[in-house]
């Protein structure tokens, strides 16, 4: 297990200060976007305060960060100095440490903000009349419907209506709602807390504007609003992962159904034009079914009723609804009804147009793995794999599900290889890793040769499994690369060729084929005798006298 090396408060404060000092605000914002887009890969921290990662950009860039010597950190990208790739890795690290990514993304503002002002901002100012209103609303909440709750939430947060939509707005709105302190049962308390968060989320996504000017399917979020939405969505996810005790409080089913009705409407009408951002209400709708409704119902009636409700809502909304959202929601109901073929057909239709987010597809796999339905899981893996077409999505979780399914059902391994090979080049990274994990050395090497890869594209450690288990497969790989270097006819390529030939010599020795090596070296030297620079490099490398 990889060590975590927990960050204490003093070290966290220093990291915020360093980020504010070394980065400009635009770079931090771009780094936040890269972090949100899941571009940070292969993150590792082998010793305290030192980390490495690969970040997807125009190319894959290696990042090294030393928190004790920040100027000594570097990235392989063309930027000289702290860049968005380094910033993205810092935010990934902050998230792993359960620290506020938003604070790091807003480091300059955090450093300059007076602490006293920040503390006072958490509690909205109020008059005596407002205190009376808060007390009155607190008494009404326990007996209110969901629609009435939303009216009360509007009144509780009214003083913040014209403030800037940012993380501070969300914190102050939640504080204003908490001030009412309603006495609620466990299930009702969870539902009210969910609606409080959803109400603020809606206010962030749909700021007050004239109806005629409001776009039908959303608008472009500002940077600080996006940070607030991200934090609020994470809070909603944590909340909905809490068990809702409906068995003990069956009277709360009506509020659950009202919540479903609200989320259905929001899910069907929210924008799907930001292909790298999962639609927010769609995620809440999925969580409501997976975490709170499905575990508390054992019949198919509710799923069939929801199919009817979705179709009716789609007809009523007309052009205002998202066809992808409707198809995705319908496929989820067929999935819950165990009608997988109908669900797959709808998903394929959804994927024909942009706007479906990879995590929405992956959410179908989670309950199957948790329930141990391995045969059904493999079928779903094979179906959704070709639909995971985003180059920016990290497929490591998808690969993990395949490995666990094949471990439980070894006979499904051929299906895994057929699926992954059919997903190339999107699946390249996990395909290569799985080939090595399963000891398919020849297949791995055939793929590298057909892809035009060279040994220089890999770290020495990447090729060690082959050197140990199938060293003979590396011979054509190295020979091919040597010839390519020679064709380039420059000093740098000649040095690379000689370096690789020295590795070849070791391989031939390991395979006890020294005579073959000597024959190759003699022919190679004779064939390239007119290339003086190459001959010099061969002598420097002590390959020829």
């Amino acid at each position: 297990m990889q060590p975590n090396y927990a960050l204490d408060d003093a070290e966290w404060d220093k990291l915020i200060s360093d980020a504010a000092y070394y980065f400009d605000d635009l770079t931090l914002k771009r780094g936040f976007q890269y972090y949100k887009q899941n571009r940070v890969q292969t993150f590792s921290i082998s010793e305290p305060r030192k980390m490495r990662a690969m970040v997807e950009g125009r190319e894959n860039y290696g990042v090294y960060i030393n928190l004790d010597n920040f100027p000594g950190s570097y990235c392989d990208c063309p930027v000289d100095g702290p860049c968005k790739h380094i910033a993205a890795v810092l935010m990934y690290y902050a998230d792993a440490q359960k620290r506020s990514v938003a604070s790091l993304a807003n480091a300059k503002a955090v450093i300059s903000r007076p602490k006293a002002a920040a503390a006072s901002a958490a509690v909205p100012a109020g008059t005596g009349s407002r205190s009376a209103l808060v007390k009155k609303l607190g008494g009404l909440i326990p007996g209110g419907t969901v629609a009435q709750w939303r009216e009360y939430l509007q009144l509780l947060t009214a003083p913040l209506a014209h403030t800037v939509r940012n993380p501070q707005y969300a914190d102050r709105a939640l504080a204003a709602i908490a001030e009412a302190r309603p006495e609620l049962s466990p299930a009702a308390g969870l539902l009210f807390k969910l609606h409080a968060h959803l109400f603020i989320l809606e206010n962030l996504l749909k700021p007050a504007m004239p109806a005629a000017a409001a776009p039908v399917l959303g608008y472009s979020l500002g940077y600080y609003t996006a940070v607030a939405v991200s934090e609020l969505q994470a809070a909603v996810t944590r909340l909905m992962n809490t068990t809702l005790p409906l068995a003990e409080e069956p009277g709360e089913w009506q509020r659950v159904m009202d919540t479903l009705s609200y989320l259905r409407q929001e899910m069907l009408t929210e924008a799907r034009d930001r292909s790298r951002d999962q639609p927010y209400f769609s995620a809440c709708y999925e969580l409501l079914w997976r975490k709170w409704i499905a575990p508390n119902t054992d019949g198919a009636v509710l799923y069939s009723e929801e199919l009817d409700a979705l179709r009716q809502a789609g007809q009523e909304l007309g052009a205002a609804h998202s066809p992808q959202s409707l198809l995705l929601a319908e496929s989820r109901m067929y999935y819950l009804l165990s009608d997988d073929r109908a669900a797959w057909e709808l998903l394929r239709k959804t994927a024909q147009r942009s706007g479906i987010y990879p995590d929405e597809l992956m959410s179908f796999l989670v309950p199957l793995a948790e329930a141990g339905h391995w045969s059904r899981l493999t079928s779903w893996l094979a179906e959704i794999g070709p639909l995971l077409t985003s180059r920016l999505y990290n497929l490591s979780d998808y690969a993990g599900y395949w490995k666990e399914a094949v471990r439980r059902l070894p006979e499904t391994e051929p299906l895994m290889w057929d699926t992954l090979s059919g997903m190339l080049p999107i699946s390249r990274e996990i395909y290569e890793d799985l080939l090595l994990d399963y000891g398919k050395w020849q297949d791995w090497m055939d793929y590298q040769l057909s892809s035009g890869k060279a040994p220089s594209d890999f770290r020495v450690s990447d090729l060690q499994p082959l050197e140990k288990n199938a060293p003979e497969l590396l011979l054509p790989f190295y020979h091919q690369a040597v010839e390519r270097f020679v064709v380039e006819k420059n000093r740098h390529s000649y040095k690379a060729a000689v370096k690789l030939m020295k590795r070849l010599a070791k391989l031939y020795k390991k395979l006890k084929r020294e005579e073959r090596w000597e024959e190759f070296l003699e022919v190679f030297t004779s064939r390239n005798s007119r290339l003086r620079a190459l001959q010099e490099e061969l002598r420097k490398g002590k390959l020829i006298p």
Side-chain angles (χ1 to χ4, degrees):
M1 182 176 178
Q2 184 171 295
N4 186 42
Y5 300 121
L7 200 66
D8 62 32
D9 290 341
E11 291 170 333
W12 171 243
D13 289 340
K14 182 180 183 301
L15 179 55
I16 294 289
S17 298
D18 285 344
Y21 180 79
Y22 289 107
F23 292 91
D24 59 65
D25 199 49
L26 180 60
T27 300
L28 288 173
K29 291 178 182 178
R30 288 175 173 171
F32 174 78
Q33 293 299 326
Y34 268 40
Y35 157 76
K36 283 290 294 173
Q37 292 164 6
N38 297 317
R39 292 181 183 241
V40 179
Q41 301 181 7
T42 62
F43 177 89
S44 64
I45 174 167
S46 57
E47 55 184 298
R49 303 178 63 73
K50 294 181 181 179
M51 64 201 77
R52 295 181 183 275
M54 192 72 71
V55 180
E56 280 190 316
R58 292 184 179 178
E59 301 177 10
N60 285 342
Y61 298 115
V63 172
Y64 167 78
I65 297 174
N66 183 347
L67 296 180
D68 290 323
N69 179 26
F70 205 86
S73 304
Y74 61 84
C75 175
D76 290 339
C77 75
V79 176
D80 184 17
C83 62
K84 59 188 175 185
H85 308 107
I86 295 177
V89 174
L90 287 176
M91 291 171 201
Y92 184 100
Y93 174 64
D95 183 43
Q97 292 287 329
K98 308 300 181 185
R99 298 285 182 169
S100 171
V101 175
S103 295
L104 194 57
N106 300 310
K108 290 187 177 293
V110 170
I111 291 299
S112 62
R113 185 191 308 138
K115 293 186 180 292
S120 63
V123 182
T127 62
S129 59
R130 172 160 176 75
S131 298
L133 174 64
V134 169
K135 185 176 180 180
K136 179 181 178 180
L137 293 177
L140 294 173
I141 287 171
T145 64
V146 165
Q148 289 170 333
W149 277 358
R150 292 183 61 79
E151 293 175 5
Y152 303 153
L153 292 170
Q154 183 71 47
L155 293 171
L156 288 168
T157 59
L160 304 172
H162 300 292
T163 58
V164 176
R165 297 304 193 256
N166 57 19
Q168 289 71 41
Y169 162 79
D171 291 342
R172 294 174 67 187
L174 287 171
I177 294 169
E179 190 180 357
R181 296 185 181 87
E183 293 291 334
L184 295 169
S185 64
L190 283 172
L191 285 165
F192 179 75
K193 192 172 182 180
L194 172 64
H195 277 280
H197 283 74
L198 291 175
F199 176 81
I200 299 169
L201 181 63
E202 185 178 349
N203 276 277
L204 289 167
L205 295 170
K206 304 176 183 179
M209 60 177 67
V216 176
L217 290 178
Y219 70 106
S220 180
L221 295 179
Y223 169 71
Y224 292 106
T225 305
V227 172
V229 167
S230 176
E231 290 188 336
L232 203 60
Q233 181 65 32
V236 169
T237 301
R238 289 194 296 271
L239 175 65
M240 298 187 79
N241 274 294
T242 304
T243 301
L244 185 69
L246 282 175
E248 292 80 6
E249 300 180 52
E252 292 302 319
W253 264 107
Q254 184 56 53
R255 282 175 171 157
V256 172
M257 292 297 100
D258 291 344
T259 303
L260 174 61
S261 179
Y262 164 76
L263 284 176
R264 183 192 307 122
Q265 182 83 5
E266 295 297 324
M267 174 269 298
L268 289 175
T269 55
E270 73 180 324
R272 281 187 171 270
D273 55 355
R274 298 183 294 275
S275 60
R276 293 179 182 176
D277 294 332
Q278 182 176 9
Y280 309 105
F281 288 103
S282 177
C284 296
Y285 176 84
E286 185 271 327
L287 283 169
L288 181 68
W289 277 104
R290 178 157 59 93
K291 292 295 185 178
W292 285 3
I293 298 181
N296 288 289
T297 183
D298 56 2
V301 175
L302 203 54
Y303 307 140
S304 298
E305 290 178 348
E306 180 63 8
L307 276 171
D308 293 336
L310 286 165
R311 290 161 185 161
Q312 182 179 348
Q315 292 175 357
E316 293 174 353
L317 290 167
H321 84 280
S322 164
Q324 294 101 316
S325 295
L326 179 58
L327 288 169
L328 185 65
E330 287 179 328
S331 69
R332 197 170 301 284
M333 293 307 108
Y334 281 116
Y335 164 84
L336 291 171
L337 286 165
S338 296
D339 188 349
D340 290 342
R341 292 191 179 278
W344 295 337
E345 182 179 354
L346 291 173
L347 283 178
R348 287 192 286 268
K349 289 181 180 179
T350 309
Q352 289 173 2
R353 301 173 62 183
S354 62
I356 186 169
Y357 191 79
D359 275 344
E360 293 179 302
L361 296 171
M362 294 293 292
S363 67
F364 287 93
L365 307 179
V366 179
L368 299 178
E370 290 176 347
H373 296 160
W374 306 112
S375 179
R376 192 179 175 198
L377 176 62
T378 57
S379 298
W380 271 89
L381 285 164
E383 284 294 328
I384 72 168
L387 306 182
L388 295 169
T389 56
S390 172
R391 292 182 178 274
L392 297 177
Y393 187 71
N394 190 329
L395 291 171
S396 58
D397 288 342
Y398 177 76
Y401 283 120
W402 264 122
K403 290 177 70 173
E404 186 62 20
V406 170
R407 186 176 73 84
R408 305 281 184 157
L409 300 174
E411 65 272 17
T412 62
E413 185 179 337
L415 179 61
M416 177 179 73
W417 297 122
D418 288 345
T419 304
L420 293 177
S421 61
M423 291 169 60
L424 291 170
I426 296 294
S427 62
R428 176 187 60 80
E429 186 172 346
I430 61 169
Y431 181 61
E432 292 177 352
D433 290 345
L434 287 172
L435 286 173
L436 293 177
D437 288 345
Y438 283 79
K440 293 187 173 292
W441 318 115
Q442 183 67 63
D443 292 337
W444 187 91
M445 182 52 65
D446 288 345
Y447 178 66
Q448 306 311 326
L449 291 170
S450 64
S451 301
K453 290 293 187 68
S456 57
D457 295 325
F458 301 91
R459 296 186 295 266
V460 174
S461 58
D462 294 333
L463 298 175
Q464 282 179 346
L466 266 79
E467 289 190 359
K468 178 181 179 181
N469 296 283
E472 67 281 357
L473 297 179
L474 288 171
L475 294 177
F477 193 39
Y478 287 174
H479 276 293
Q480 185 183 80
V482 167
E483 296 300 333
R484 286 178 181 171
F485 284 132
V486 173
V487 168
E488 293 179 15
K489 294 186 178 180
N490 60 69
R491 179 73 68 169
H492 177 76
S493 65
Y494 292 156
K495 288 182 178 179
V498 170
K499 183 177 180 181
L500 199 52
M501 288 175 70
K502 294 173 77 170
R503 290 168 66 181
L504 261 174
K506 291 180 180 178
L507 273 180
Y508 275 108
K509 184 176 181 180
K510 181 175 183 179
L511 293 167
K512 298 181 179 179
R513 300 181 186 174
E514 290 91 339
E515 292 183 2
R516 293 286 301 275
W517 163 250
E518 294 296 338
E519 290 175 6
F520 161 74
L521 183 59
E522 182 179 351
V523 172
F524 177 85
T525 305
S526 175
R527 177 159 45 88
N528 297 293
S529 60
R530 299 179 65 181
L531 301 177
R532 293 184 179 180
L534 175 59
Q535 296 292 323
E536 290 177 9
E537 294 301 327
L538 289 169
R539 293 188 186 93
K540 288 180 182 178
K542 299 181 180 179
L543 292 176
I544 61 175

PDB file of all heavy atoms in Angstrom, residues 18-33:
ATOM      1  N   ASP A  18       3.175  28.892  -0.502  1.00  0.00           N
ATOM      2  CA  ASP A  18       4.048  28.630  -1.653  1.00  0.00           C
ATOM      3  C   ASP A  18       3.279  28.747  -2.968  1.00  0.00           C
ATOM      4  O   ASP A  18       3.778  29.303  -3.958  1.00  0.00           O
ATOM      5  CB  ASP A  18       4.669  27.237  -1.542  1.00  0.00           C
ATOM      6  CG  ASP A  18       5.778  27.180  -0.509  1.00  0.00           C
ATOM      7  OD1 ASP A  18       6.266  28.242  -0.103  1.00  0.00           O
ATOM      8  OD2 ASP A  18       6.156  26.064  -0.108  1.00  0.00           O
ATOM      9  N   ALA A  19       2.055  28.218  -2.980  1.00  0.00           N
ATOM     10  CA  ALA A  19       1.244  28.295  -4.197  1.00  0.00           C
ATOM     11  C   ALA A  19       0.946  29.743  -4.551  1.00  0.00           C
ATOM     12  O   ALA A  19       1.003  30.143  -5.720  1.00  0.00           O
ATOM     13  CB  ALA A  19      -0.052  27.510  -4.019  1.00  0.00           C
ATOM     14  N   ALA A  20       0.635  30.544  -3.541  1.00  0.00           N
ATOM     15  CA  ALA A  20       0.351  31.959  -3.792  1.00  0.00           C
ATOM     16  C   ALA A  20       1.593  32.708  -4.267  1.00  0.00           C
ATOM     17  O   ALA A  20       1.497  33.637  -5.081  1.00  0.00           O
ATOM     18  CB  ALA A  20      -0.201  32.606  -2.515  1.00  0.00           C
ATOM     19  N   TYR A  21       2.753  32.309  -3.780  1.00  0.00           N
ATOM     20  CA  TYR A  21       3.994  33.021  -4.119  1.00  0.00           C
ATOM     21  C   TYR A  21       4.522  32.626  -5.495  1.00  0.00           C
ATOM     22  O   TYR A  21       4.921  33.471  -6.295  1.00  0.00           O
ATOM     23  CB  TYR A  21       5.058  32.735  -3.057  1.00  0.00           C
ATOM     24  CG  TYR A  21       6.376  33.432  -3.310  1.00  0.00           C
ATOM     25  CD1 TYR A  21       6.550  34.780  -3.004  1.00  0.00           C
ATOM     26  CD2 TYR A  21       7.447  32.745  -3.880  1.00  0.00           C
ATOM     27  CE1 TYR A  21       7.751  35.417  -3.247  1.00  0.00           C
ATOM     28  CE2 TYR A  21       8.656  33.368  -4.133  1.00  0.00           C
ATOM     29  CZ  TYR A  21       8.804  34.710  -3.808  1.00  0.00           C
ATOM     30  OH  TYR A  21       9.993  35.346  -4.069  1.00  0.00           O
ATOM     31  N   TYR A  22       4.519  31.319  -5.802  1.00  0.00           N
ATOM     32  CA  TYR A  22       5.201  30.840  -7.012  1.00  0.00           C
ATOM     33  C   TYR A  22       4.301  30.823  -8.255  1.00  0.00           C
ATOM     34  O   TYR A  22       4.803  30.821  -9.375  1.00  0.00           O
ATOM     35  CB  TYR A  22       5.759  29.432  -6.779  1.00  0.00           C
ATOM     36  CG  TYR A  22       6.946  29.409  -5.845  1.00  0.00           C
ATOM     37  CD1 TYR A  22       6.833  28.923  -4.547  1.00  0.00           C
ATOM     38  CD2 TYR A  22       8.190  29.891  -6.256  1.00  0.00           C
ATOM     39  CE1 TYR A  22       7.918  28.897  -3.686  1.00  0.00           C
ATOM     40  CE2 TYR A  22       9.279  29.875  -5.399  1.00  0.00           C
ATOM     41  CZ  TYR A  22       9.137  29.381  -4.114  1.00  0.00           C
ATOM     42  OH  TYR A  22      10.215  29.368  -3.270  1.00  0.00           O
ATOM     43  N   PHE A  23       2.984  30.763  -8.074  1.00  0.00           N
ATOM     44  CA  PHE A  23       2.084  30.673  -9.228  1.00  0.00           C
ATOM     45  C   PHE A  23       1.338  31.987  -9.436  1.00  0.00           C
ATOM     46  O   PHE A  23       1.013  32.684  -8.472  1.00  0.00           O
ATOM     47  CB  PHE A  23       1.030  29.571  -9.014  1.00  0.00           C
ATOM     48  CG  PHE A  23       1.586  28.179  -9.016  1.00  0.00           C
ATOM     49  CD1 PHE A  23       2.006  27.578  -7.828  1.00  0.00           C
ATOM     50  CD2 PHE A  23       1.680  27.444 -10.176  1.00  0.00           C
ATOM     51  CE1 PHE A  23       2.506  26.288  -7.809  1.00  0.00           C
ATOM     52  CE2 PHE A  23       2.171  26.147 -10.178  1.00  0.00           C
ATOM     53  CZ  PHE A  23       2.595  25.575  -8.994  1.00  0.00           C
ATOM     54  N   ASP A  24       1.048  32.288 -10.697  1.00  0.00           N
ATOM     55  CA  ASP A  24       0.118  33.385 -10.938  1.00  0.00           C
ATOM     56  C   ASP A  24      -1.298  32.800 -10.903  1.00  0.00           C
ATOM     57  O   ASP A  24      -1.505  31.589 -10.988  1.00  0.00           O
ATOM     58  CB  ASP A  24       0.395  34.072 -12.280  1.00  0.00           C
ATOM     59  CG  ASP A  24       0.304  33.126 -13.467  1.00  0.00           C
ATOM     60  OD1 ASP A  24      -0.801  32.617 -13.731  1.00  0.00           O
ATOM     61  OD2 ASP A  24       1.342  32.885 -14.113  1.00  0.00           O
ATOM     62  N   ASP A  25      -2.283  33.681 -10.764  1.00  0.00           N
ATOM     63  CA  ASP A  25      -3.662  33.236 -10.554  1.00  0.00           C
ATOM     64  C   ASP A  25      -4.185  32.438 -11.746  1.00  0.00           C
ATOM     65  O   ASP A  25      -4.911  31.449 -11.588  1.00  0.00           O
ATOM     66  CB  ASP A  25      -4.563  34.447 -10.290  1.00  0.00           C
ATOM     67  CG  ASP A  25      -5.862  34.040  -9.616  1.00  0.00           C
ATOM     68  OD1 ASP A  25      -5.803  33.294  -8.614  1.00  0.00           O
ATOM     69  OD2 ASP A  25      -6.930  34.448 -10.083  1.00  0.00           O
ATOM     70  N   LEU A  26      -3.827  32.840 -12.968  1.00  0.00           N
ATOM     71  CA  LEU A  26      -4.304  32.146 -14.157  1.00  0.00           C
ATOM     72  C   LEU A  26      -3.787  30.713 -14.205  1.00  0.00           C
ATOM     73  O   LEU A  26      -4.517  29.788 -14.572  1.00  0.00           O
ATOM     74  CB  LEU A  26      -3.869  32.906 -15.421  1.00  0.00           C
ATOM     75  CG  LEU A  26      -4.305  32.294 -16.759  1.00  0.00           C
ATOM     76  CD1 LEU A  26      -5.825  32.206 -16.827  1.00  0.00           C
ATOM     77  CD2 LEU A  26      -3.763  33.116 -17.922  1.00  0.00           C
ATOM     78  N   THR A  27      -2.518  30.513 -13.829  1.00  0.00           N
ATOM     79  CA  THR A  27      -1.948  29.157 -13.827  1.00  0.00           C
ATOM     80  C   THR A  27      -2.669  28.267 -12.820  1.00  0.00           C
ATOM     81  O   THR A  27      -2.936  27.096 -13.089  1.00  0.00           O
ATOM     82  CB  THR A  27      -0.444  29.217 -13.506  1.00  0.00           C
ATOM     83  OG1 THR A  27       0.212  30.011 -14.501  1.00  0.00           O
ATOM     84  CG2 THR A  27       0.174  27.834 -13.497  1.00  0.00           C
ATOM     85  N   LEU A  28      -2.985  28.823 -11.648  1.00  0.00           N
ATOM     86  CA  LEU A  28      -3.725  28.055 -10.647  1.00  0.00           C
ATOM     87  C   LEU A  28      -5.106  27.663 -11.175  1.00  0.00           C
ATOM     88  O   LEU A  28      -5.574  26.538 -10.960  1.00  0.00           O
ATOM     89  CB  LEU A  28      -3.868  28.854  -9.359  1.00  0.00           C
ATOM     90  CG  LEU A  28      -2.591  29.009  -8.520  1.00  0.00           C
ATOM     91  CD1 LEU A  28      -2.830  29.970  -7.365  1.00  0.00           C
ATOM     92  CD2 LEU A  28      -2.122  27.657  -7.980  1.00  0.00           C
ATOM     93  N   LYS A  29      -5.742  28.586 -11.892  1.00  0.00           N
ATOM     94  CA  LYS A  29      -7.063  28.285 -12.441  1.00  0.00           C
ATOM     95  C   LYS A  29      -6.972  27.178 -13.488  1.00  0.00           C
ATOM     96  O   LYS A  29      -7.795  26.258 -13.528  1.00  0.00           O
ATOM     97  CB  LYS A  29      -7.667  29.542 -13.067  1.00  0.00           C
ATOM     98  CG  LYS A  29      -8.054  30.608 -12.037  1.00  0.00           C
ATOM     99  CD  LYS A  29      -8.592  31.854 -12.728  1.00  0.00           C
ATOM    100  CE  LYS A  29      -8.939  32.931 -11.713  1.00  0.00           C
ATOM    101  NZ  LYS A  29      -9.423  34.167 -12.357  1.00  0.00           N
ATOM    102  N   ARG A  30      -5.955  27.261 -14.337  1.00  0.00           N
ATOM    103  CA  ARG A  30      -5.778  26.220 -15.350  1.00  0.00           C
ATOM    104  C   ARG A  30      -5.426  24.881 -14.720  1.00  0.00           C
ATOM    105  O   ARG A  30      -5.866  23.824 -15.170  1.00  0.00           O
ATOM    106  CB  ARG A  30      -4.698  26.642 -16.335  1.00  0.00           C
ATOM    107  CG  ARG A  30      -5.150  27.781 -17.271  1.00  0.00           C
ATOM    108  CD  ARG A  30      -4.024  28.262 -18.155  1.00  0.00           C
ATOM    109  NE  ARG A  30      -4.492  29.227 -19.148  1.00  0.00           N
ATOM    110  CZ  ARG A  30      -3.691  29.934 -19.944  1.00  0.00           C
ATOM    111  NH1 ARG A  30      -2.380  29.777 -19.863  1.00  0.00           N
ATOM    112  NH2 ARG A  30      -4.203  30.776 -20.815  1.00  0.00           N
ATOM    113  N   GLY A  31      -4.622  24.936 -13.662  1.00  0.00           N
ATOM    114  CA  GLY A  31      -4.290  23.708 -12.944  1.00  0.00           C
ATOM    115  C   GLY A  31      -5.526  23.080 -12.334  1.00  0.00           C
ATOM    116  O   GLY A  31      -5.686  21.849 -12.337  1.00  0.00           O
ATOM    117  N   PHE A  32      -6.433  23.924 -11.809  1.00  0.00           N
ATOM    118  CA  PHE A  32      -7.679  23.412 -11.241  1.00  0.00           C
ATOM    119  C   PHE A  32      -8.506  22.704 -12.316  1.00  0.00           C
ATOM    120  O   PHE A  32      -9.090  21.642 -12.077  1.00  0.00           O
ATOM    121  CB  PHE A  32      -8.485  24.559 -10.628  1.00  0.00           C
ATOM    122  CG  PHE A  32      -9.845  24.157 -10.141  1.00  0.00           C
ATOM    123  CD1 PHE A  32     -10.000  23.494  -8.937  1.00  0.00           C
ATOM    124  CD2 PHE A  32     -10.973  24.429 -10.901  1.00  0.00           C
ATOM    125  CE1 PHE A  32     -11.253  23.110  -8.493  1.00  0.00           C
ATOM    126  CE2 PHE A  32     -12.231  24.051 -10.460  1.00  0.00           C
ATOM    127  CZ  PHE A  32     -12.376  23.389  -9.254  1.00  0.00           C
ATOM    128  N   GLN A  33      -8.566  23.290 -13.510  1.00  0.00           N
ATOM    129  CA  GLN A  33      -9.314  22.668 -14.596  1.00  0.00           C
ATOM    130  C   GLN A  33      -8.707  21.307 -14.968  1.00  0.00           C
ATOM    131  O   GLN A  33      -9.439  20.334 -15.195  1.00  0.00           O
ATOM    132  CB  GLN A  33      -9.337  23.599 -15.819  1.00  0.00           C
ATOM    133  CG  GLN A  33     -10.133  24.876 -15.618  1.00  0.00           C
ATOM    134  CD  GLN A  33     -11.592  24.624 -15.319  1.00  0.00           C
ATOM    135  OE1 GLN A  33     -12.170  23.672 -15.831  1.00  0.00           O
ATOM    136  NE2 GLN A  33     -12.197  25.449 -14.491  1.00  0.00           N
TER     137      GLN A  33
END
